[in-house]
Every structure is written in C-alpha cells, then in structure tokens.
C-alpha cells in the first residue's frame, strides 16, 4: 500500500497515478476463495527457487527439503506441472544440493 501511495503522489494527474496490479477497491473486493486459489496456483514446489551461498549449517538443507516437500504439487497436465518437470542443469562449477 505504501508503494501505491507513493505512485499516487508522484504521478498525480497522470495515467501512472496507481500501480497496475490493483487498487484499494480491488483489494477490498478480494474474497477468501480468491486468496486460496492464488495460493494453490502459485505457492507450489514448481514455483520455488532457492539459492544458497557461503557457509551454512547442513541442517539448513534438511529444513529446506522438508519445507519444499510440504508445498503442494501442481496438478498433472497443467502448465505448472510441465514447468516442474523441466529442471535446468546446474551452472558449471556449482553444486546442486537439493
């Protein structure tokens, strides 16, 4: 909401006076079912990308794996399922730990 207020202030009187992603009115119109559908569609293992660098405890990897395993899997035959099936190779010289 802060970014929306900033845009309204900076761009007052122009077509850029509000963020394209929505308005206060559109937020007020959201229902719990809208939020659930968004969560189910976007908060999936297929959409998770995690990168770690530097020193970290090995138990962190275990906790990350458990967290990823707890995310919903995309429905078979959907675009999200197709995306999840494509795993890019690791960058040369890098190690994939998950």
């Amino acid at each position: 909401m802060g970014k929306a207020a900033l845009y309204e202030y900076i761009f007052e009187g122009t077509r850029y006076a509000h963020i394209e992603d929505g308005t206060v009115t559109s937020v007020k119109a959201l229902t719990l079912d809208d939020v659930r559908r968004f969560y189910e569609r976007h908060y999936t293992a297929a959409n998770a990308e995690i990168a770690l660098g530097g020193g970290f405890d090995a138990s962190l990897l275990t906790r990350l794996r458990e967290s990823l395993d707890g995310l919903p899997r995309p429905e078979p035959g959907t675009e999200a399922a197709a995306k999840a099936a494509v795993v890019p190779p690791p960058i040369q010289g890098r190690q994939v730990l998950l």
Side-chain angles (χ1 to χ4, degrees), residues 17-78:
H18 65 86
I19 296 176
E20 293 178 11
D21 293 341
T23 62
V24 172
T25 303
S26 65
V27 172
K28 287 180 178 180
L30 287 173
T31 67
L32 184 55
D33 285 336
D34 294 330
V35 174
R36 285 182 176 138
R37 278 192 300 274
F38 181 88
Y39 175 85
E40 290 167 358
R41 182 179 209 177
H42 297 284
Y43 285 77
T44 68
N47 286 337
E49 294 186 31
I50 298 174
L52 297 174
F56 51 85
D57 191 291
S59 67
L60 175 63
L61 291 176
T62 301
R63 293 193 314 271
L64 282 172
R65 284 189 189 106
E66 289 170 355
S67 293
L68 288 174
D69 287 344
L71 289 173
R73 300 285 171 191
E75 292 291 324
T78 63

